């Protein structure tokens, strides 16, 4: 007990006077169990998150699998290894761009706009914020946190695209590709289809070249592949570029999302 009283006295002396009014004037004479209402402060329940899948209509032609390549341009710079391969090989793809990426990559944007037969540009948001309308962290990234913030993320991304000379987008893919169901409903009510995927090509651009190549090469008829085109210093980009060339040599039919029918779960495309 003496130790407790001495420690309490020390704390009272060491705390600045500005906070002293909130401290009891005398230490309690006994220490009992803390009431449950005090010890267990209510915590907000974490929102239930989904990571929707998306598939496209199959070709059903042996040796000519139909695959939709989708690339996220989150932040950072354009990966010329991937971009030059797509242009050189004439491989169409759907690119999801953020407003932040557009500001930093005018040269890459020019390439996209000069090749409208290859590139479909769609909305990845204004500031690369997860489209979840309740506060939470996803891979350490704070979510939008409210319906209003989700709307701003979507509308801000679309406005930046139109200002850059890009046709108004019809698809949206949020940062981390995770959502809560209420946010999905809100985005769909705004007129967007939500782009999930069925093959994670590069693990957020964090995988090595060999494993990235193998993942993308594993895509089958009707798959939608997600990879990244904004990390030129990461080894994954090398694997992406090689996989694209190999798939083309095998007779793969590459399509953009706007060119083919699709099916997404969690009511993302209904």
């Amino acid at each position: 007990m003496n130790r407790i009283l001495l420690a309490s006295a020390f704390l009272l002396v060491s705390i600045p006077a500005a906070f002293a009014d909130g401290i009891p004037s005398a230490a309690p004479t006994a220490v009992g169990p803390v009431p449950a209402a005090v010890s267990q402060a209510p915590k907000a329940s974490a929102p239930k998150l989904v990571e929707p899948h998306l598939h496209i209509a199959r070709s059903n032609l042996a040796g000519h699998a139909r695959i939709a390549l989708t690339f996220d341009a989150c932040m950072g710079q354009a990966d010329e290894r991937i971009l030059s391969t797509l242009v050189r090989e004439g491989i169409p793809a759907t690119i999801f761009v953020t407003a932040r990426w557009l500001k930093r990559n005018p040269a890459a944007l020019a390439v996209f706009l000069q090749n409208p037969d290859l590139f479909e540009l769609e909305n990845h948001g204004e500031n690369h914020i997860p489209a979840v309308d309740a506060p939470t962290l996803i891979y350490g990234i704070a979510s939008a946190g409210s319906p209003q913030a989700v709307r701003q993320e979507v509308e801000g991304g679309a406005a930046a695209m139109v200002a850059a000379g890009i046709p108004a987008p019809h698809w949206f893919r949020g940062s981390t590709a995770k959502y809560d169901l209420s946010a999905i409903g809100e985005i769909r009510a705004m007129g967007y289809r939500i782009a999930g995927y069925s093959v994670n090509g590069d693990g957020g651009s964090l995988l090595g070249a060999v494993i990235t190549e193998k993942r993308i090469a594993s895509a089958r008829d009707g798959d939608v592949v997600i990879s990244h085109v904004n990390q030129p210093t990461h080894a994954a980009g090398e694997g992406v570029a090689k996989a694209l060339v190999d798939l083309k040599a095998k007779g793969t039919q590459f399509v953009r999302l706007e060119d083919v029918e699709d099916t997404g779960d969690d009511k993302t495309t209904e």
Side-chain angles (χ1 to χ4, degrees):
M1 177 62 71
N2 289 335
R3 292 182 180 178
I4 295 174
L5 292 174
L6 287 173
S8 300
F10 175 77
L11 289 173
L12 285 171
V13 172
S14 61
I15 294 175
F19 301 97
D21 289 343
I23 300 175
S25 58
T29 56
V31 178
V34 179
V38 176
S39 63
Q40 297 180 358
K43 295 181 179 179
S45 58
K48 179 181 178 181
L49 303 181
V50 296
E51 191 167 357
H53 294 94
L54 180 67
H55 289 85
I56 58 172
R58 299 176 180 177
S59 71
N60 292 318
L61 297 174
H64 296 282
R66 179 183 291 156
I67 296 172
L69 297 172
T70 69
F71 293 93
D72 288 359
C74 313
M75 294 170 280
Q77 301 294 329
D79 191 332
E80 292 296 336
R81 297 169 298 180
I82 299 173
L83 184 54
S84 62
T85 299
L86 292 170
V87 174
R88 182 182 67 249
E89 300 294 332
I91 296 175
T94 302
I95 315 293
F96 286 85
V97 298
T98 67
R100 296 174 67 174
W101 188 87
L102 287 174
K103 291 179 181 179
R104 298 188 62 180
N105 294 276
L109 173 60
V111 172
F112 290 147
L113 295 178
Q114 290 164 6
N115 293 275
D117 56 325
L118 292 181
F119 300 114
E120 170 190 1
L121 300 181
E122 297 293 350
N123 189 358
H124 196 33
E126 182 177 23
N127 291 308
H128 201 247
I129 297 172
V132 174
D133 61 15
T136 191
L137 289 176
I138 308 172
Y139 305 132
I141 305 174
S143 66
S146 70
Q148 295 79 11
V150 168
R151 176 174 289 275
Q152 178 59 45
E153 176 71 1
V154 177
E155 291 182 342
M161 294 177 68
V162 172
I166 303 170
H170 301 287
W171 285 88
F172 176 79
R173 174 182 286 155
S175 167
T176 74
K178 292 181 182 289
Y179 316 82
D180 55 347
L181 295 179
S182 55
I184 287 176
E186 292 154 12
I187 297 167
R188 292 288 290 127
M190 295 171 66
Y192 287 90
R193 302 169 78 79
I194 297 175
Y197 62 91
S198 57
V199 174
N200 187 336
D202 63 359
S205 82
L206 298 178
L207 297 177
V210 174
I211 187 62
T212 295
E213 179 185 352
K214 289 181 178 179
R215 282 196 177 194
I216 297 177
S218 72
R220 299 183 179 182
D221 197 13
D223 272 333
V224 175
V225 180
I226 181 175
S227 297
H228 292 74
V229 70
N230 65 299
Q231 294 291 354
T233 64
H234 290 193
E238 178 185 343
V240 171
K242 190 172 188 308
L244 299 183
V245 174
D246 292 345
L247 284 172
K248 181 183 178 182
K250 293 178 181 178
T252 300
Q253 179 186 135
F254 298 103
V255 296
R256 304 172 300 183
L257 293 181
E258 66 180 352
D259 297 329
V260 65
E261 294 183 356
D262 55 76
T263 302
D265 56 16
D266 296 308
K267 298 183 178 181
T268 51
T269 62
E270 292 180 3

